[in-house]
Amino acid sequence: MKKVILLFLSVVVCTLVTIVRAEESESKQNLLQNPEFGLRKTADPEPGRSILYWNTDRWGDVIGGNGEGKFRHQSTAKVVEILPGKRIWQFATLPELGLKAGDAVSLSVNGYQEQSGALKARLCLMLIESADGQWSPADFGMPDKRTFARHGRGELVRSPQKETSSQETEKEFQLQLNGLKIDPRFKEQRESDADFRNVVGVLVEFVNDSDKRVWVNSPTLVKGETAAKTAPTSSRSLPALYQKIPRTMQKLTTGKPITILTLGSSIDRGSANPRLYFYDENPDSSHFKEPLTEARPGKPAAMKQLIAERMGRPDLQDYVGWSQHYFMYTGRLRRELLRKFDYPVENMLLNVMACDGSSIGESHSGFKAYAELELPPNPNDNGHPTGKSWQELYPSLFENGKKPGPDLVIFGHGHNEHIDRPDEIAAYEGAIRWFQRHYPGVEFVSCMWIRDKGQPNSMTEPMQKLCAYYKIPFVDLGQLIIDLKATTNYYAMAPDGGHPAAGSHYLWFKQLEQVFEMPAEATLPGVPQKQLPPRMNAYARNWEGTMIRFEKDDTRIVDGRMMILEDAAFNLWADNKREMMQLLIDGQPAEHAGHGRNSFASPNPRNSTFVHGRLTRGDRHIIEIPNKSARLSAVDCKVGLKRQFYGVDAKGWQGKSTVQEFESKWGAPYGERAFQLQPGETLEIEVEADELSIAWLDDPAGGTLVVEVDDKPAWSQPTNQPFTDSQGRTHFIENRRGVLGLPFAKHRTRLQAEGKPVRVIGVFGYDGR
C-alpha cells in the first residue's frame, strides 16, 4: 500500500525540476485565485498580513507588499514575503479548477531568497483517506462499539507530492513543477480499499524552510504537462459574494464583536458516523488515523488539553465543546475568520443551534432562546464547554448592557426538510422574516449540504430561488457533491451515506469561506439583503408570528391528546414511551408533519414529535394524537402577525344582539362570552386588517352564519356541525373561518344569522405587513 501524506505536513517526495528564467508569455488561464497577492480588507493597522484567497497558519505569517524592488522583472502584482518557518497555500477542488481524471497541472513561481534552498514550492493532490478493512472506536478505549469502514477518517491527506527548491546561489529565480497527474481510482461502495485514490482537489504551497527572509511573486498553476514560464493574463475569477453581507463584512473589517448563529441538523453540526474524532494525523506515526480522545467526553479537561497542546490553540479551549465543533464546517469557518481578520475569539461568538434530527420548522421553537442566549454554554446545546457564562466568554458583546442579537445566520437543515410539501421552503422564508422582524439588519448565508440535488424533492432549487429573491448569498454545495463523485467514492466523503466526515467538512468550509473574501481595495458597493419584501411563498406568513407554548396541564389541551391551535403553524411534543405516533389535523391524517417516532416528556427547542405549518389561515384547526397511550407534553403555536381580537366587549360593535356566557370545554381559546345573533338581526364592526377571522360557537340548534366584508359577500357557514374525534365522539365547540386576500385597511364586517340563531364570539384581525 502506498503511504499517503497528511495535509499540510512537511514530509515530501522530491521531484527533479528545472529552474528557469521567465522569458515568454503563455495564453493559458492561471487556475489560482488572486495570483497577484492582492490584500484582504481587515481592521489591522499593519497592511499586508492577510492575503485574499490564500491561507496561512497564523495571522502575520506573511507580509504582502511590493517586494522592496527585489524582482527585476516584477509586474504590477504584489509580492508576498514568507517569514522564517512559515508557509502560505491555496487549495481548490477539482470541479472548481475544471479538472477531471487524466488531466495534468503544472506550477511555476518567481522567488527571491537570502539563503540557498530556503523557498520550497509544493504541488500535490488532496485525497480522502482509504485503507483496507474495518475499525471500531472501542478498539482504542472509546465507548462507541460500532464498526466502520476504514475510510474518511480525519483530515484530507496528501498524495505523494511534487516539491522543488533553488539550491543555486543566485537570489532571484523561477521554480517549476511539471505534470501532476489527476489519477483517481475508486468504486462507489461502502467498503474501503487501500488501492482507492479518492481525489478531491489540488494543493499549492510555498514554504520558507529557513531562518532568513523569502519572497514569492506571480505563482501560476496551469492545466497541462508544462508550467507557464510567465504568468498568464487571466486567472480564476474571484466571487464577490461579500457584497451580499455588507453589515457582516463591515463588522469583520473594522474589528467589531460579532455573533454568528449556525442552524442545521446532525449533518451541519458534525454528528457523523463515525464521530469527528481528533485523530493522529502524522503519516509517519504507528498510530496514524487512530483517535486520540473521546469525541464527546464527559469531563471537558481532556478536550481542553488536546485543543490547547496538540492543536496549538489554547485560545479555543473554553470555546469548543466537543471535537465535532472543532471540525464542523462552521467551526472551521470561525477558526479561519479569526486568522483572516486577526480577531480574538472572545469577539466572535459561534452559537451552534444545529442539532441531530432537527428541521427548520422544529427550530422555530428555539429561535428566541438561541438568539437571546437564554441557554447557558453547553456542548450539546450550543457547542461550548460548561463552566463559564456568556458574559465571561464574550465580554465585549455585552458592553452596552444588552444581550447581543445574531448578526449573521447560516442556514442548514438541507436534507431534513420534508415537512409541508410542496411548500417546505415556506418555513425557511418564515425564518428569514422572523429574524428580520426581531433583529433588524441581521444577514443570512446559505451553504447547505444537499446530497440529493436534481431529485424531485431536493431543497436546492427552492432555496436558490429564495436566496436570489432576498439577495442572500447562495453557495451551491449540492453541485460540488455531484461533481466530486466523478473522482471520489462518495462513501469515503460520507461513510454512512448521509453525514459528511471531517474531510468533507473541510471541503464544505472551503466553499463557505469564499463568501467572506473582500479585497482591501474593494470598489463594489454592498448589496443589502431585502428586508421584508412581499412574500415569495404564501405559507411563509404562517411561520412569521410569535411562538407561544401550552404545557401539558393547560386547559387548552383536551383529554391529553387534542387541542385547538392558535393559528396555522405549530410544533408539538408528545410522549408515547417511544412507540410510534400518528397525528390528525382537523380529523384527517397529517402528511409531511414529521415521522412521529420521537417521544418527548418535555419540550425541546430544536426537535419535536410533529411540526406543520401548511394550514389555511383564519380557520379553526384541531390537532389530535389518536394513539390512546400517547399524551401531549407541550404544544408551541405560532400566533399570526399583529393579531387583534374583537370580542363581545370590544368597542365598535353595532347591533342589538344580547350577550350570554357559555362554558368552554376546550380551554376557551376565544373567550366564554358570545352574542346571540338572531335571524333578522345584524352585527357590524370595523376592523383595520388585511386578514379577518370570524369566531362562533357550534351548536346543534345553530343556524347559518352569513358574512359580508365591505358590502360584499364573503361566505356563509352552517354552525350546527360538530367536530368528530378519532374515537367517534362529537364536539360542539368553538369554531372560526377566515376572510383572506384583503388590502390592509379598515374593513366593515357584517354578520347575519339565517334560519336559526348563531352564537358569535368575535372577530380576529391580522396585519401581515
Side-chain angles (χ1 to χ4, degrees):
M1 180 182 77
K2 293 183 179 180
K3 181 174 285 185
V4 291
I5 299 181
L6 173 67
L7 172 63
F8 307 145
L9 200 68
S10 299
V11 179
V12 300
V13 176
C14 293
T15 304
L16 292 177
V17 295
T18 304
I19 301 170
V20 298
R21 294 285 181 188
E23 296 176 351
E24 55 187 293
S25 63
E26 302 205 10
S27 59
K28 295 181 179 179
Q29 184 193 39
N30 193 342
L31 298 180
L32 294 173
Q33 290 179 299
N34 187 29
E36 303 87 1
F37 293 132
L39 305 182
R40 181 179 291 111
K41 187 172 183 180
T42 70
D44 199 277
E46 295 185 70
R49 297 300 179 126
S50 191
I51 310 300
L52 197 68
Y53 283 95
W54 290 83
N55 297 95
T56 58
D57 292 307
R58 294 287 187 273
W59 167 271
D61 283 358
V62 300
I63 303 174
N66 57 20
E68 303 174 6
K70 289 182 168 54
F71 292 91
R72 288 171 291 175
H73 304 286
Q74 181 181 339
S75 66
T76 56
K78 285 182 169 55
V79 172
V80 162
E81 177 186 351
I82 307 174
L83 300 185
K86 307 303 182 181
R87 65 193 180 108
I88 186 171
W89 73 87
Q90 188 173 123
F91 166 84
T93 62
L94 296 183
E96 291 174 285
L97 297 171
L99 299 175
K100 61 183 184 302
D103 288 341
V105 289
S106 300
L107 174 69
S108 65
V109 65
N110 298 326
Y112 187 98
Q113 59 191 18
E114 295 178 341
Q115 178 180 308
S116 177
L119 175 65
K120 287 182 168 58
R122 294 169 180 161
L123 177 65
C124 70
L125 301 178
M126 300 306 299
L127 281 61
I128 295 179
E129 170 255 1
S130 186
D132 290 329
Q134 296 181 320
W135 75 287
S136 173
D139 297 337
F140 305 97
M142 310 297 170
D144 189 348
K145 301 184 184 304
R146 295 176 296 170
T147 299
F148 304 99
R150 296 179 66 200
H151 56 193
R153 295 172 298 174
E155 301 286 56
L156 300 183
V157 294
R158 297 190 188 205
S159 174
Q161 65 193 15
K162 291 180 177 287
E163 178 184 294
T164 186
S165 62
S166 172
Q167 300 301 324
E168 295 187 1
T169 57
E170 191 165 0
K171 292 184 177 181
E172 185 180 358
F173 53 88
Q174 186 184 81
L175 300 178
Q176 288 188 4
L177 290 166
N178 293 315
L180 178 69
K181 292 285 189 181
I182 313 299
D183 58 346
R185 183 172 59 251
F186 71 98
K187 294 179 182 178
E188 186 167 298
Q189 61 183 44
R190 290 185 179 272
E191 298 78 16
S192 59
D193 191 319
D195 290 331
F196 285 4
R197 288 175 54 79
N198 299 304
V199 183
V200 294
V202 174
L203 175 71
V204 170
E205 181 182 68
F206 303 115
V207 181
N208 181 353
D209 192 20
S210 75
D211 58 359
K212 303 292 184 180
R213 303 166 76 189
V214 159
W215 291 261
V216 292
N217 170 247
S218 301
T220 300
L221 182 69
V222 295
K223 183 177 178 180
E225 299 284 350
T226 305
K229 296 180 180 179
T230 58
T233 56
S234 65
S235 58
R236 202 151 53 90
S237 63
L238 307 181
L241 294 172
Y242 68 87
Q243 286 184 275
K244 295 185 176 182
I245 51 171
R247 184 171 176 265
T248 298
M249 293 310 301
Q250 191 274 334
K251 287 202 168 192
L252 289 173
T253 56
T254 57
K256 294 180 180 178
I258 188 168
T259 299
I260 301 172
L261 178 63
T262 178
L263 309 181
S265 64
S266 55
I267 287 174
D268 302 88
R269 81 162 179 171
S271 296
N273 299 298
R275 300 197 188 283
L276 303 189
Y277 293 98
F278 284 101
Y279 291 91
D280 185 335
E281 299 284 12
N282 183 350
D284 287 337
S285 170
S286 59
H287 301 287
F288 182 50
K289 292 297 183 183
E290 293 180 4
L292 297 173
T293 188
E294 167 56 17
R296 297 180 176 182
K299 296 181 179 180
M303 185 67 67
K304 288 187 175 185
Q305 183 179 9
L306 188 146
I307 291 172
E309 298 178 5
R310 188 81 179 225
M311 308 310 294
R313 295 303 301 267
D315 59 318
L316 296 181
Q317 61 182 343
D318 289 326
Y319 297 87
V320 177
W322 292 332
S323 59
Q324 66 193 68
H325 300 124
Y326 189 88
F327 293 113
M328 60 185 279
Y329 79 110
T330 49
R332 294 176 186 269
L333 176 70
R334 174 177 60 178
R335 286 190 277 135
E336 189 58 36
L337 293 180
L338 295 177
R339 280 192 285 261
K340 288 182 189 301
F341 297 99
D342 193 24
Y343 257 71
V345 67
E346 59 266 24
N347 279 6
M348 187 179 293
L349 194 164
L350 178 66
N351 193 357
V352 181
M353 188 176 180
C355 176
D356 299 5
S358 181
S359 71
I360 187 69
E362 291 170 288
S363 292
H364 274 262
S365 283
F367 284 162
K368 181 179 181 295
Y370 274 83
E372 298 185 4
L373 301 179
E374 293 178 0
L375 303 176
N378 179 279
N380 185 52
D381 292 339
N382 43 55
H384 288 69
T386 56
K388 291 187 177 181
S389 68
W390 293 117
Q391 290 90 335
E392 290 173 311
L393 292 171
Y394 302 97
S396 60
L397 288 165
F398 293 85
E399 287 180 350
N400 62 2
K402 299 179 180 179
K403 286 185 178 181
D407 296 300
L408 180 69
V409 177
I410 300 177
F411 277 124
H413 304 288
H415 200 71
N416 279 12
E417 244 10 84
H418 301 308
I419 61 167
D420 293 355
R421 287 178 177 167
D423 294 281
E424 56 260 62
I425 196 65
Y428 280 98
E429 186 176 12
I432 292 172
R433 300 176 73 90
W434 185 91
F435 278 106
Q436 288 181 339
R437 288 181 183 278
H438 290 82
Y439 307 98
V442 65
E443 293 175 328
F444 304 87
V445 171
S446 176
C447 181
M448 295 165 24
W449 185 275
I450 303 177
R451 66 180 187 268
D452 62 350
K453 181 180 179 179
Q455 299 302 309
N457 293 316
S458 173
M459 284 297 297
T460 301
E461 184 177 352
M463 197 68 191
Q464 194 166 7
K465 289 181 179 179
L466 181 67
C467 289
Y469 182 69
Y470 280 84
K471 299 190 181 300
I472 292 170
F474 175 84
V475 181
D476 191 356
L477 198 71
Q479 188 60 49
L480 179 67
I481 295 170
I482 291 173
D483 293 341
L484 283 174
K485 289 182 178 181
T487 58
T488 307
N489 177 14
Y490 177 72
Y491 290 102
M493 296 174 63
D496 65 358
H499 297 83
S504 296
H505 272 272
Y506 177 77
L507 302 176
W508 189 355
F509 144 70
K510 290 299 290 183
Q511 306 309 303
L512 178 59
E513 176 189 26
Q514 297 181 49
V515 177
F516 302 86
E517 294 286 7
M518 183 176 185
E521 301 174 355
T523 57
L524 297 174
V527 180
Q529 297 178 8
K530 285 186 178 178
Q531 301 291 307
L532 298 173
R535 296 171 186 84
M536 192 182 83
N537 186 285
Y539 291 102
R541 181 166 171 169
N542 295 8
W543 291 101
E544 285 184 58
T546 301
M547 192 76 84
I548 62 172
R549 178 163 297 169
F550 299 89
E551 302 287 354
K552 59 185 177 182
D553 56 354
D554 196 289
T555 57
R556 290 283 298 276
I557 294 178
V558 178
D559 290 346
R561 297 183 295 109
M562 298 185 292
M563 179 179 165
I564 296 176
L565 296 175
E566 286 294 296
D567 276 302
F570 66 90
N571 267 303
L572 70 81
W573 298 267
D575 190 0
N576 195 28
K577 309 305 179 186
R578 299 193 176 188
E579 295 294 326
M580 287 287 290
M581 287 171 273
Q582 296 175 296
L583 175 66
L584 304 180
I585 301 179
D586 300 332
Q588 300 299 315
E591 295 184 0
H592 308 305
H595 41 64
R597 64 173 176 262
N598 288 335
S599 286
F600 292 93
S602 59
N604 182 302
R606 300 177 293 181
N607 296 111
S608 63
T609 307
F610 291 105
V611 54
H612 197 59
R614 195 174 183 268
L615 301 174
T616 52
R617 289 188 302 281
D619 297 350
R620 181 198 67 187
H621 298 292
I622 297 176
I623 55 171
E624 179 184 5
I625 306 289
N627 310 81
K628 293 183 179 180
S629 59
R631 289 295 179 268
L632 288 169
S633 303
V635 180
D636 272 5
C637 292
K638 285 278 188 175
V639 175
L641 291 169
K642 301 176 186 177
R643 189 179 76 177
Q644 296 288 330
F645 180 58
Y646 301 87
V648 296
D649 296 322
K651 295 180 180 180
W653 282 106
Q654 297 180 10
K656 298 182 180 180
S657 301
T658 60
V659 174
Q660 292 184 1
E661 294 184 354
F662 65 94
E663 182 181 0
S664 174
K665 304 295 185 182
W666 286 64
Y670 320 137
E672 292 183 301
R673 303 184 74 208
F675 291 111
Q676 306 301 302
L677 180 62
Q678 302 293 330
E681 292 183 348
T682 298
L683 282 171
E684 291 190 11
I685 191 170
E686 189 174 75
V687 174
E688 190 173 38
D690 63 358
E691 290 185 350
L692 302 171
S693 178
I694 291 82
W696 69 90
L697 184 65
D698 282 321
D699 190 303
T704 297
L705 177 62
V706 179
V707 178
E708 294 181 2
V709 177
D710 300 333
D711 299 323
K712 296 179 180 178
W715 46 260
S716 60
Q717 171 73 43
T719 66
N720 62 352
Q721 299 175 348
F723 165 71
T724 303
D725 66 24
S726 62
Q727 299 181 51
R729 298 175 300 180
T730 56
H731 304 266
F732 288 93
I733 55 177
E734 296 89 331
N735 207 340
R736 63 183 176 121
R737 183 173 171 181
V739 180
L740 311 183
L742 302 172
F744 183 79
K746 291 182 178 180
H747 298 284
R748 178 157 292 279
T749 301
R750 180 181 296 115
L751 309 178
Q752 294 177 307
E754 286 187 351
K756 295 181 180 180
V758 172
R759 295 200 272 181
V760 176
I761 301 174
V763 174
F764 288 91
Y766 298 85
D767 177 4
R769 293 176 298 170

